[in-house]
């Protein structure tokens, strides 16, 4: 019988976790003839009762494991820890807020069992439940990254997907610090089947993303999967040299033909500001890549563990 690991990154999810566990349990119950399950919750430095709830779950259910980080490392680090430590033949990552419908697991499992696909991924057809600003921003982000990167990023793709061990091993083998999973999933290749569903609203609690976090995440994604912005910077440099060259010729000819004295400092001031701006913009782009390189060379761990379910299971073992 195949074993399915369900990896769930959790940050302040005390309200959604019990609901999540209950709902997913219905599905594991339905699938009990086909597969055995392992829950692997990642407590990403939650400040609420998430860890207490995970301890409780691990106590009463043998299939529940958890890894608790020493602080908040972000969802990407949580997913990495989960994929790295999951022991299943098939592995899935799910949000704790039930925005990823657990019933899809049945279809995903059957798809992988047929043997043709290595991964069954989901995308949401709408973005109900998200703010207008976020919807617009996301739409533009996919347009821009689609142009900039050779790695295909599917618009509306969620991190909810069931993957084979082989594919997960490939993802885990990429130990980069600046992780952008949507890109990594696509980068490793393998056959992926996409299934679509209507976006669900969060069951409880609030979203962990604000505009600024999303914006920097988007920049991280672009920097991680494209070097085209560097080419744009170089191209702008060439373009401006060309414009300057034309202007020089025009001014020389004008002076020779009409003996025009040099005039107009406002236009000059504008040009200086403009070129200065472009200059800083391009330096900023280079700086962004340099910063990422700097962080990678430090080879800091992607996450730090403070506690795992072993603590619980050990005390229980002693009691018995
Ligand atoms: N999450 C996490 N660490 C973070 C932020 C979020 O582990 O720093 C988890 C969160 O608990 C949830 C999932 O990532 O299970 C998705 O987060 P959220 O629902 O807030 O994102 P949204 O659905 O708004 O994109
Ligand atoms: Mg969510």
């Amino acid at each position: 019988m195949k074993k399915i690991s369900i990896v769930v990154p959790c940050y302040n999810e005390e309200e959604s976790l019990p609901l999540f566990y209950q709902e997913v349990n219905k599905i594991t119950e339905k699938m009990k003839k086909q597969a055995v399950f392992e829950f692997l919750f990642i407590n990403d430095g939650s400040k609420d009762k998430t860890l207490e709830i995970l301890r409780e779950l691990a106590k009463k259910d043998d299939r529940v494991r958890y890894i608790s980080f020493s602080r908040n490392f972000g969802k990407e680090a949580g997913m990495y820890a989960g994929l790295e430590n999951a022991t299943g033949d098939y592995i899935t990552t799910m949000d704790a807020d039930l925005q990823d419908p657990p019933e899809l697991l049945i279809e995903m499992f059957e798809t992988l069992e047929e043997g043709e696909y290595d991964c069954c991924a989901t995308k949401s057809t709408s973005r109900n439940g998200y703010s207008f600003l976020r919807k617009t921003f996301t739409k533009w982000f996919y347009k821009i990254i689609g142009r900039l990167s050779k790695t295909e990023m599917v618009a509306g793709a969620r991190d909810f997907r069931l993957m084979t061990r082989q594919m997960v091993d490939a993802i885990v083998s990429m130990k980069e610090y600046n992780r952008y999973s949507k890109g990594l999933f696509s980068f490793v290749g393998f056959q992926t089947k996409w299934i679509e569903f209507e976006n669900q609203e969060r069951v409880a609690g609030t979203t962990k993303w604000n505009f600024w976090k999303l914006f920097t995440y988007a920049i991280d994604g672009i920097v991680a999967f494209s070097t085209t912005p560097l080419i744009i910077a170089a191209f702008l440099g060439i373009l401006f040299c060309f414009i300057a060259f034309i202007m020089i010729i025009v001014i020389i000819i004008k002076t020779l033909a009409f003996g025009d004295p040099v005039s107009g400092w406002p236009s000059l001031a504008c040009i200086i500001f403009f070129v200065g701006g472009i200059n800083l913009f391009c330096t900023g782009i280079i700086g962004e890549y340099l910063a990422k390189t700097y962080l990678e060379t430090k080879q800091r761990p992607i996450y730090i563990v403070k506690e795992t379910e072993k603590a619980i299971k050990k005390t229980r073992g002693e009691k018995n």
Side-chain angles (χ1 to χ4, degrees), residues 13 95-99 130 134 158 200-202 206-209:
E13 298 285 5
D95 286 3
D97 55 8
L98 283 176
Q99 280 190 305
Y130 289 116
R134 182 160 169 183
R158 297 195 53 91
Q200 313 281 313
E201 298 208 11
R202 189 174 240 289
T206 48
T207 174
K208 308 301 174 300
W209 299 89

Side-chain angles (χ1 to χ4, degrees), residues 4-58:
I4 300 180
S5 299
I6 303 177
V7 169
V8 193
C10 312
Y11 178 51
N12 296 346
E13 298 285 5
E14 60 178 4
E15 288 167 61
S16 358
L17 264 181
L19 296 166
F20 174 85
Y21 178 72
Q22 192 188 341
E23 285 304 310
V24 176
N25 245 329
K26 288 185 193 156
I27 302 301
T28 60
E29 197 50 37
K30 263 191 203 162
M31 292 176 73
K32 70 176 179 217
K33 289 213 173 67
Q34 295 158 290
V36 288
F37 284 84
E38 163 186 76
F39 290 88
L40 181 49
F41 293 98
I42 314 295
N43 174 33
D44 186 12
S46 301
K47 293 180 181 70
D48 62 0
K49 298 216 156 46
T50 300
L51 181 58
E52 276 93 325
I53 294 174
L54 293 181
R55 285 189 190 129
E56 282 309 310
L57 290 180

Side-chain angles (χ1 to χ4, degrees), residues 61-77:
D61 186 343
D62 262 340
R63 304 168 303 168
V64 172
R65 296 172 56 203
Y66 67 85
I67 296 175
S68 184
F69 289 174
S70 59
R71 64 167 169 86
N72 179 255
F73 280 86
K75 185 186 176 188
E76 288 290 343

Side-chain angles (χ1 to χ4, degrees), residues 18 29 34 44 67 94 106 109 112 124 145 169 205 208 294:
E29 197 50 37
Q34 295 158 290
D44 186 12
I67 296 175
M94 285 177 95
I106 302 175
F109 176 74
L112 290 200
S124 52
I145 201 162
D169 285 344
K208 308 301 174 300
Y294 174 59

